């Protein structure tokens, strides 16, 4: 009798090993090597209505598709779909600048965000051999970052003064309700040594710089930030270079 029980135990053990091995092979066949998790960056380009997230498309073995959802951190069952914008898609005014030729960026637009609310976004890259996800937690007020000011202009004003003017980023649509403030940076070289000055913040869209050096070349850039200091300053605007002409002797 003991021999029969021992034989049965061995048989069951062998069967479990075989089933476990087959299950492991099946798991390997279905999951394979999942792609690396997307590197996701989120920002609010126009508080509080325009929130975007982006991540680069892998150049090698890109996923078959992405799933993008977001939800309130402390509220169950409120998952919402993020509107996906593929690389090179004729975008909207939501995206101020196209991605570079060397980096194809996916974007997603998160509509109807609430103020002072914690959110979690889940970007899942689905591959033929599996999937991987990136979870990111944020509050809207922490990721405010306007786009760069546009139409920066620098013109001579009197003998050695310059007038710097610019326009707000067109994607920031609520300047009356949520005004912007601006920082101005100008750079030059003195005997081969780089120099720079940062001015601001100012709510104006122009500033006059006085008593600059005649014959010297200056480089000007402007960045924008939400007036109350939410989030970060924008990237610096495209540089504008001007040389102050020398006066005739």
């Amino acid at each position: 009798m003991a021999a029969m029980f021992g034989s049965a135990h061995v048989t069951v053990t062998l069967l479990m090993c075989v089933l476990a091995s087959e299950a492991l092979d099946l798991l390997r066949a279905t999951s394979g090597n999942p792609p690396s998790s997307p590197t996701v960056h989120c920002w609010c380009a126009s508080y509080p209505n325009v929130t975007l997230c982006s991540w680069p498309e892998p150049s090698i073995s890109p996923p078959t598709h992405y799933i993008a959802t977001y939800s309130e951190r402390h509220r169950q069952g409120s998952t919402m779909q993020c509107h996906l914008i593929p690389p090179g898609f004729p975008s909207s005014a939501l995206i101020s600048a196209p991605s570079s030729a060397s980096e194809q960026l996916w974007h997603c637009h998160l509509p109807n965000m609430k103020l002072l609310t914690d959110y979690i976004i889940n970007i899942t890259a689905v591959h033929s051999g599996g999937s991987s996800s990136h979870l990111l937690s944020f509050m809207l007020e922490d990721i405010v970052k306007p786009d760069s000011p546009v139409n920066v202009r620098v013109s001579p004003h009197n003998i050695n003064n310059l007038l710097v003017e610019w326009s707000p980023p067109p994607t920031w649509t609520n300047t009356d309700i949520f005004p912007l403030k601006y920082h101005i940076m100008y750079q030059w070289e003195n005997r081969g040594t780089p120099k720079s000055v940062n001015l601001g913040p100012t709510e104006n869209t122009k500033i006059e710089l006085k008593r600059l050096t005649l014959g010297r070349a200056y480089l000007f850039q402007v960045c924008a930030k939400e007036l109350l200091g939410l989030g970060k300053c924008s990237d610096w605007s495209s540089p504008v270079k001007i040389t102050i002409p020398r006066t005739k002797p």
Side-chain angles (χ1 to χ4, degrees):
M1 181 70 70
M4 291 179 60
F5 279 118
S7 176
H9 176 72
V10 170
T11 302
V12 170
T13 302
L14 289 175
L15 180 60
M16 290 178 65
C17 290
V18 170
L19 291 175
S21 177
E22 290 179 352
L24 181 60
D25 290 339
L26 178 61
L27 180 62
R28 287 173 177 164
T30 55
S31 55
N33 294 318
S36 58
S37 300
T39 302
V40 182
H41 167 66
C42 297
W43 72 102
C44 177
S46 181
Y47 184 76
N49 297 323
V50 180
T51 303
L52 297 164
C53 294
S54 69
W55 60 93
E57 170 90 306
S59 57
I60 300 175
S61 300
T64 57
H65 65 281
Y66 292 96
I67 301 172
T69 60
Y70 64 104
S71 61
E72 296 180 31
R73 186 182 183 90
H74 302 295
R75 183 179 176 185
Q76 301 296 326
S78 60
T79 301
M80 296 163 282
Q81 294 293 322
C82 180
H83 174 61
L84 285 169
I85 305 173
F89 189 80
S91 56
S92 51
L94 296 176
I95 303 172
S96 62
S99 58
S100 64
S102 60
E103 186 179 61
Q104 295 293 309
L105 291 180
W106 277 83
H107 290 82
C108 73
H109 174 220
L110 287 67
N112 305 319
M113 305 289 283
K114 296 179 181 179
L115 307 185
L116 302 172
T117 303
D118 284 317
Y119 283 94
I120 296 178
I121 184 168
N122 182 356
I123 306 295
T124 300
V126 181
H127 192 269
S128 58
S131 63
S132 59
S133 298
H134 182 104
L135 294 175
L136 183 65
S137 176
F138 62 86
M139 183 179 286
L140 189 60
E141 287 72 18
D142 294 332
I143 62 169
V144 173
K145 184 182 180 183
D147 290 324
S148 304
V150 297
N151 197 25
V152 179
R153 310 172 301 282
V154 184
S155 56
H157 197 248
N158 297 326
I159 298 177
N160 58 344
N161 298 349
L162 289 176
L163 181 64
V164 185
E165 303 173 275
W166 59 90
S167 300
T171 48
W172 190 272
T173 55
N174 293 321
T175 52
D176 293 335
I177 303 174
F178 299 103
L180 294 171
K181 58 184 177 182
Y182 303 94
H183 295 261
I184 302 92
M185 177 175 65
Y186 65 98
Q187 305 172 76
W188 71 94
E189 285 191 1
N190 184 16
R191 298 178 181 178
T193 302
K195 303 285 186 179
S196 66
V197 170
N198 285 273
L199 302 174
T202 176
E203 296 179 49
N204 296 321
T205 55
K206 63 181 177 180
I207 189 172
E208 183 179 3
L209 305 179
K210 299 180 178 180
R211 295 184 294 277
L212 300 175
T213 303
L214 300 178
R216 175 173 287 168
Y218 290 92
L219 200 67
F220 291 88
Q221 293 174 283
V222 184
C223 78
K225 191 173 184 179
E226 196 275 332
L227 181 62
L228 298 180
L230 297 179
K232 298 179 180 180
C233 207
S234 71
D235 293 334
W236 289 105
S237 63
S238 299
V240 174
K241 186 176 183 179
I242 188 172
T243 300
I244 301 179
R246 296 182 181 274
T247 57
K248 294 182 179 179

